[in-house]
Amino acid sequence: MASAEKVVTTDSSSSVQEVLDLMVSKQVGAVVIVSTHKDDTEKSIPEGIITKTDILQAYRRRVDIDESCEHIIRKNSLVTCNPDDDRDTVASILEREKMHHVIVVHEEHFVGIVSSWDIAAECAKDNRAWPYLRSEDGSLPQFPRFEEEVLPPAYNPQKAVSILNHKHDFFMDDLDLESFQ
């Protein structure tokens, strides 16, 4: 998740050109449209989101880029999640809504954004960490080092065969392979 401080935001009075310039200069694929309410604390409330796809669709419809971005903001399809939602929950929201960005809100206030890229990166980290589970901060668990005398003896194939024969009283030599033909 990108926290609200790191997310590129603007208000609905910005022009399409200004939003496009923000996307290019900040190298992002989405700009969150927020309104700031000044009560006892200055908190942003998400109103919508404009993505690269929205800009392309506006271009195709020949929208005047000097006009307000108000008419290309995706308000009705604003997809949100809670800060305590886990990766799989957010991934299922993205899949169900066929979106690439989910706005993270807490008590209607903008907290951050999660993209499909964030989900893919987390899955890749888990894949690299397998078979160990990562902790909450993303680090791998630390395992104690074994003393030299605790380590198992070096692998000896002859000993392994004798152990296998002894435990199961059966080995490949005991098979009657001629009866399988």
Side-chain angles (χ1 to χ4, degrees):
M1 176 183 93
S3 64
E5 296 82 28
K6 294 181 181 179
V7 177
V8 179
T9 61
T10 190
D11 59 31
S12 59
S13 65
S14 299
S15 70
V16 176
Q17 181 67 53
E18 290 170 335
V19 173
L20 181 58
D21 290 342
L22 276 172
M23 285 183 175
V24 171
S25 66
K26 303 291 186 179
Q27 298 179 353
V28 295
V31 174
V32 178
I33 309 301
V34 295
S35 63
T36 306
H37 294 282
K38 295 182 180 181
D39 45 2
D40 49 340
T41 61
E42 190 173 310
K43 298 230 179 184
S44 299
I45 297 176
E47 292 181 354
I49 186 170
I50 298 177
T51 65
K52 292 186 287 190
T53 303
D54 299 324
I55 296 290
L56 288 172
Q57 289 173 348
Y59 172 78
R60 185 170 183 210
R61 292 190 322 257
R62 302 193 190 321
V63 171
D64 182 10
I65 62 172
D66 294 323
E67 289 184 17
S68 170
C69 66
E70 180 73 34
H71 55 281
I72 67 168
I73 298 173
R74 278 198 269 153
K75 289 183 178 180
N76 297 338
S77 60
L78 185 63
V79 181
T80 63
C81 69
N82 297 313
D84 56 347
D85 287 345
D86 63 0
R87 178 194 64 201
D88 294 338
T89 302
V90 176
S92 65
I93 292 170
L94 288 169
E95 180 183 24
R96 181 183 66 237
E97 300 295 330
K98 295 179 176 43
M99 299 281 186
H100 291 284
H101 300 88
V102 175
I103 306 293
V104 183
V105 293
H106 178 66
E107 297 176 0
E108 296 184 15
H109 297 293
F110 178 57
V111 176
I113 190 169
V114 177
S115 70
S116 53
W117 177 257
D118 297 327
I119 301 294
E122 285 298 310
C123 290
K125 288 177 185 175
D126 280 349
N127 190 38
R128 286 193 302 268
W130 187 88
Y132 309 108
L133 297 177
R134 292 186 297 139
S135 62
E136 289 293 321
D137 66 354
S139 63
L140 289 174
Q142 297 297 318
F143 295 103
R145 298 278 181 208
F146 291 105
E147 297 292 328
E148 199 61 41
E149 61 271 3
V150 178
L151 289 175
Y155 176 69
N156 180 346
Q158 294 299 329
K159 189 171 185 180
V161 169
S162 66
I163 290 172
L164 184 61
N165 279 331
H166 177 69
K167 283 189 175 179
H168 301 289
D169 295 326
F170 176 78
F171 195 63
M172 294 296 290
D173 294 338
D174 297 333
L175 286 177
D176 182 14
L177 297 177
E178 291 179 12
S179 64
F180 288 114
Q181 297 176 359

